[in-house]
């Protein structure tokens, strides 16, 4: 009887002692832990995923990044790095999707967009789905670091008129940027377009063809970047009008005031 009671006490004691451990093991992962684990697993096996699963995984990475609870800097970096891995595959559909979804992340995603964009534009025939999505996301993120701004202004000199137009479209996304950044971009867009416009008015066929392609995006960029100090609702009709205004206002502060 005594042995039985002793054994029972041991079992009860062990049970009470083990229960906290079992409860701890059964605790769900925190949002940070869950996101980190997903990023780690993705980076290990992304090369073997079929297209549909890759696209779904990319969306999930972005969803984790957007969660306020996923606030650990290392985890957020791991998610961005996972997008970087996804951008290196050969499937154009996947890469274009990565570029588009990067626009739904923070400016940290620029370090994924810029090298992917550069690789694509070096190809003999760049895929417009990829560079178009990349430029759209750059405009959406409107990162003001020097590298991002230079990448966009350099593309205004590209030989492909469609790429110039896409670059101007992306630059128009900088409407909410600081005054100095908007002023820099305004001047670059103006410098790279006013000659084309003037030549098109002189009936130069090549210039007319180029202006037809880039004109709308160029004027949109000039008009959104100029305000303030230009009042809302006032639009430039053409680059000469923008040049005349800029010469009078380039030394003024362009920052917004409450």
């Amino acid at each position: 009887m005594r042995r039985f009671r002793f054994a029972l006490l041991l079992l009860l004691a062990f049970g009470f002692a083990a229960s906290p451990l079992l409860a701890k093991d059964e605790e769900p992962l925190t949002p940070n832990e869950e996101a980190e684990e997903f990023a780690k697993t993705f980076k290990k096996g992304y090369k073997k995923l079929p297209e549909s699963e890759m696209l779904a995984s990319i969306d999930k990475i972005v969803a984790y990044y957007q969660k306020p609870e996923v606030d650990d800097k290392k985890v957020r970096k791991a998610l961005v790095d996972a997008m970087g891995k996804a951008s290196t595959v050969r499937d154009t559909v996947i890469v274009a999707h990565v570029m588009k979804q990067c626009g739904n992340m923070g400016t940290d995603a620029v370090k994924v967009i810029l090298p992917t964009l550069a690789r694509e534009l070096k190809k003999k025939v760049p895929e417009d789905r990829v560079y178009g999505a990349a430029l759209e996301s750059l405009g959406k993120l409107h990162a003001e670091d020097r590298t991002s701004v230079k990448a966009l202004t350099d593309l205004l000199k590209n030989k492909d008129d469609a790429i110039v137009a896409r670059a101007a479209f992306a630059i128009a996304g900088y409407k909410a940027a600081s005054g100095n950044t908007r002023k820099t971009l305004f001047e670059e867009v103006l410098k790279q377009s006013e000659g084309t416009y003037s030549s098109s008015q002189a009936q130069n066929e090549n210039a007319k063809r180029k202006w037809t392609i880039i004109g709308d995006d160029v004027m949109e960029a000039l008009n959104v970047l100029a305000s303030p100090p230009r009042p809302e609702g006032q639009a430039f009709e053409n680059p000469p009008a923008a040049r005349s205004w800029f010469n009078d206002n380039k030394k003024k502060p362009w920052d917004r005031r409450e």
Side-chain angles (χ1 to χ4, degrees):
M1 186 66 176
R2 289 182 178 178
R3 288 184 180 179
F4 175 77
R5 290 177 62 186
F6 181 70
L8 182 60
L9 287 171
L10 281 177
L11 287 171
L12 288 173
F14 177 78
F16 284 127
S19 59
L21 295 176
L22 292 173
K24 185 175 182 180
D25 288 342
E26 291 172 1
E27 286 180 2
L29 297 175
T30 67
N32 279 314
E33 290 170 339
E34 188 179 330
E36 185 176 30
E37 186 62 31
F38 186 84
K40 187 185 299 183
T41 302
F42 175 82
K43 285 188 279 188
K44 286 181 179 178
Y46 73 96
K47 292 181 180 179
K48 298 178 181 179
L49 293 177
E51 184 180 282
S52 60
E53 290 185 27
M54 270 290 285
L55 296 174
S57 295
I58 290 163
D59 291 343
K60 193 164 186 178
I61 290 168
V62 176
Y64 276 128
Y65 188 93
Q66 291 176 335
K67 281 186 176 182
E69 300 87 352
V70 180
D71 54 4
D72 188 301
K73 291 182 180 180
K74 290 182 179 179
V75 175
R76 293 173 72 78
K77 181 181 182 301
L79 292 170
V80 174
D81 289 346
M83 291 291 274
K85 295 291 185 183
S87 73
T88 62
V89 302
R90 294 184 179 181
D91 189 325
T92 299
V93 172
I94 291 172
V95 178
H97 192 61
V98 172
M99 291 297 93
K100 182 178 180 180
Q101 283 288 48
C102 277
N104 296 318
M105 302 177 81
T107 52
D108 286 341
V110 167
K111 72 178 185 180
V112 176
I113 299 173
L114 290 180
T116 306
L117 176 62
R119 285 197 304 270
E120 190 62 37
L121 293 180
K122 285 179 181 178
K123 294 180 180 178
K124 188 174 182 179
V125 182
E127 175 59 61
D128 61 349
R129 285 182 296 179
V130 174
Y131 73 72
L135 287 168
E136 182 178 348
S137 287
L138 283 177
K140 190 174 181 179
L141 295 173
H142 50 268
E144 296 190 50
D145 60 284
R146 184 178 300 178
T147 303
S148 297
V149 171
K150 186 177 187 304
L152 287 171
T153 54
D154 283 351
L155 288 179
L156 295 172
K157 307 168 191 174
N158 198 279
K159 294 179 180 179
D160 188 326
D161 298 339
I163 293 174
V164 174
R166 293 292 186 96
F169 175 81
I171 288 171
Y174 279 71
K175 181 178 182 179
S178 67
N180 285 338
T181 297
R182 287 187 295 108
K183 187 185 295 187
T184 297
L185 290 169
F186 183 98
E187 186 170 17
E188 285 300 315
V189 172
L190 186 57
K191 282 166 56 178
Q192 299 305 325
S193 64
E194 56 190 341
T196 299
Y197 175 79
S198 296
S199 296
S200 72
Q201 296 303 294
Q203 304 306 310
N204 180 293
E205 291 302 319
N206 288 333
K208 285 174 66 176
R209 187 161 43 250
K210 180 173 183 176
W211 184 251
T212 298
I213 295 170
I214 72 170
D216 288 345
D217 291 305
V218 162
M219 295 312 303
E220 175 68 12
L222 291 173
N223 280 304
V224 301
L225 292 171
S227 180
R230 189 173 172 84
E232 292 279 358
Q234 295 184 15
F236 303 117
E237 293 183 1
N238 49 46
R243 169 58 71 184
S244 177
W245 177 87
F246 183 68
N247 288 343
D248 292 337
N249 290 274
K250 60 185 175 182
K251 293 184 179 180
K252 294 180 180 179
W254 283 33
D255 287 307
R256 290 173 171 78
R257 297 183 180 181
E258 297 296 333

